[in-house]
């Protein structure tokens, strides 16, 4: 597994990370034993970054990872944890809390659930509009000084917020959606990341399971998350599946799957980008890792651009009401 720097002055991590959200619901049923086996397989393949959130399954995901990292495996993992999203017992999202005292409280619970003394990368999952980002980052910086956190990240932040956060404390990485179908960050955010020396941790590389050979099955499968993704809505899906088919043709000519092509494309955008493999099973992990052997030539990249131009993608990545509250969607 290739190793990369997480930002200009950050730690060394694997070129791909493992996103564990699907192991705790959202995309349909998951089996804990298989999820743990997938984490073990990722570690054996050389993946070090294990990405989670304290709100994934309301703590279930962290406890699952704790179980998977028993027996000395914690030292082989780079734990990335998101905090701040609040949920009700019926799984609805209630907003985000970036208050300093709240962030410290979230951290203490995560440390206990994960069974660790420190977290490698700690980050607010969304920017709380009611709290200056300097206050949120400052609270985490205090936890860095205390030894509970090694590095600080942010998620779904705009270029303006990135600058403010980085001025408060060096930011190692921004986690944000980035895929062939979600390229809005290329305008302002990616240039800002590279100017400041901040890595990009890309989630949603398959656009929720849309950019793959099983998109039709994914649309009809039990999935609470996809019911909130407009690209899967009937009025958009028919247009998007045409783009997926065009990408699939290119992938087959390269001896790869559509998902592998999607991961290879994101990885081709720069060595400062770490794509997250959102797998809850070993077979999903194995398929995605096949992208490591897929080399895209300039001619391939030009064909991919022609097959799936950003303007042709139908529907937004989240519902408009959700996007309105996401800092990353605000220019500047």
């Amino acid at each position: 597994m290739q190793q990369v720097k997480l930002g200009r002055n950050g730690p060394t991590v694997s070129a791909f990370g493992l996103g564990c959200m699907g192991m705790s619901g959202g995309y349909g049923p998951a089996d804990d034993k298989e999820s743990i086996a997938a984490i073990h397989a990722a570690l054996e393949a050389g993946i070090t970054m294990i990405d989670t959130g304290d709100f994934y399954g309301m703590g279930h995901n962290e406890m699952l990872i704790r179980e998977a990292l028993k027996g000395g495996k914690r030292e082989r993992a780079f734990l990335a944890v998101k905090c701040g999203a609040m949920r009700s017992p019926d799984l609805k999202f209630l907003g985000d809390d970036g208050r300093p005292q709240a962030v410290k409280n979230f951290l203490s619970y995560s440390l206990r659930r994960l069974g660790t003394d420190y977290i490698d990368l700690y980050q607010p999952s969304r920017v709380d509009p009611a709290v200056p980002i300097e206050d949120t980052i400052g609270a985490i910086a205090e936890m860095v000084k205390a030894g509970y956190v090694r590095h600080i990240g942010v998620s779904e932040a705009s270029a303006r917020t990135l600058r403010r956060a980085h001025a408060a404390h060096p930011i190692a990485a921004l986690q944000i959606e980035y895929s062939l179908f979600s390229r809005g960050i290329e305008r302002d955010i990616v240039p800002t990341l590279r100017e400041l020396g901040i890595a990009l941790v890309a989630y949603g590389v398959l656009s929720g399971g849309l950019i793959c050979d099983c998109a039709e099955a994914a649309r009809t499968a039990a999935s609470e998350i996809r019911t909130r993704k407009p690209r899967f809505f009937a009025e958009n899906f028919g247009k998007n599946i045409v783009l997926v088919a065009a990408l699939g043709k290119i992938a087959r000519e390269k001896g790869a799957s559509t998902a592998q092509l999607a991961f290879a494309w994101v990885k081709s955008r720069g060595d400062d980008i770490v794509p997250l493999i959102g797998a809850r099973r070993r077979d999903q992990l194995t398929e995605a890792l096949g992208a490591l052997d897929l080399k895209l030539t300039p001619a391939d990249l030009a064909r991919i651009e022609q097959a799936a131009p950003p303007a042709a993608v139908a529907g937004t990545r989240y519902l408009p009401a959700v996007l309105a509250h996401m800092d990353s969607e605000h220019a500047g």
Side-chain angles (χ1 to χ4, degrees):
M1 174 69 67
Q2 176 190 356
Q3 302 291 302
V4 299
K5 291 274 286 184
L6 198 65
R8 188 177 298 145
N9 302 306
T12 299
V13 298
S14 52
F16 280 60
L18 179 67
C20 298
M21 182 182 70
M23 298 176 181
S24 298
Y27 283 107
D31 177 81
D32 284 356
K33 289 184 178 179
E34 179 58 27
S35 295
I36 290 172
I39 294 172
H40 290 168
L43 293 172
E44 289 302 314
I47 287 178
T48 58
M49 181 181 283
I50 306 296
D51 181 84
T52 184
D54 60 14
F55 52 96
Y56 291 172
M58 280 64 74
H60 171 269
N61 206 246
E62 291 177 317
M63 291 186 287
L64 183 76
I65 291 170
R66 174 179 182 162
E67 186 67 25
L69 296 183
K70 285 182 176 179
K73 295 183 178 65
R74 167 64 182 100
E75 289 70 28
R76 297 164 58 188
F78 182 92
L79 286 177
V81 180
K82 294 180 293 299
C83 70
M86 299 182 295
R87 304 184 73 173
S88 61
D90 61 359
L91 308 185
K92 292 179 180 177
F93 282 93
L94 302 175
D96 302 284
D97 194 344
R99 293 172 302 151
Q101 64 268 40
V103 168
K104 293 176 182 178
N105 175 70
F106 297 145
L107 173 63
S108 65
Y109 279 80
S110 287
L111 289 168
R112 180 61 61 90
R113 285 190 292 258
L114 286 164
T116 185
D117 295 328
Y118 67 93
I119 288 170
D120 297 282
L121 181 69
Y122 199 59
Q123 55 207 320
S125 66
R126 297 289 184 268
V127 177
D128 183 348
V131 180
I133 192 64
E134 293 85 355
D135 293 355
T136 303
I137 298 301
I140 304 176
E142 291 178 19
M143 298 295 94
V144 172
K145 291 179 181 178
Y148 297 117
V149 172
R150 296 284 173 85
H151 306 278
I152 302 178
V154 290
S155 181
E156 289 288 353
S158 66
R160 181 188 300 113
T161 299
L162 275 169
R163 294 184 185 279
R164 291 172 54 193
H166 195 63
H169 185 281
I171 300 299
L174 166 73
Q175 184 174 141
I176 197 165
E177 185 168 357
Y178 188 40
S179 74
L180 276 162
F181 285 6
S182 296
R183 297 178 59 178
I185 66 171
E186 293 175 345
R187 184 180 61 254
D188 297 318
I189 292 176
V190 170
T192 301
L193 291 173
R194 289 175 174 161
E195 175 192 336
L196 300 176
I198 300 172
L200 193 166
V201 176
Y203 79 87
V205 173
L206 303 184
S207 194
L210 179 57
I211 313 175
C212 68
D213 297 320
C214 56
E216 292 279 4
R219 181 171 178 256
T220 58
S223 170
E224 179 261 338
I225 288 177
R226 292 191 186 102
T227 63
R228 304 195 306 270
K229 287 188 171 289
R231 289 170 183 166
F232 280 91
F233 294 178
E235 63 270 25
N236 297 322
F237 186 78
K239 299 174 184 176
N240 291 330
I241 202 67
V242 172
L243 305 180
V244 173
L247 292 171
K249 182 176 185 296
I250 298 172
R252 287 190 296 275
E253 291 175 5
K254 300 286 292 183
S257 69
T258 305
Q260 288 169 341
L261 187 78
F263 276 106
W265 181 88
V266 169
K267 193 59 192 164
S268 76
R269 308 303 280 183
D271 290 335
D272 54 350
I273 299 175
V274 179
L276 290 178
I277 300 171
R280 61 183 188 270
R281 301 193 313 268
R282 284 168 288 182
D283 61 315
Q284 294 171 324
L285 173 68
T286 300
E287 178 185 5
L289 286 176
L292 289 168
D293 299 321
L294 180 57
K295 307 304 179 186
L296 299 178
T297 67
D300 294 330
L301 294 172
R303 287 187 65 199
I304 290 169
E305 193 78 21
Q306 185 175 22
V313 179
T316 52
R317 61 191 183 106
Y318 289 109
L319 290 166
V322 175
L323 292 176
H325 294 281
M326 293 177 71
D327 183 75
S328 56
E329 294 292 316
H330 302 161

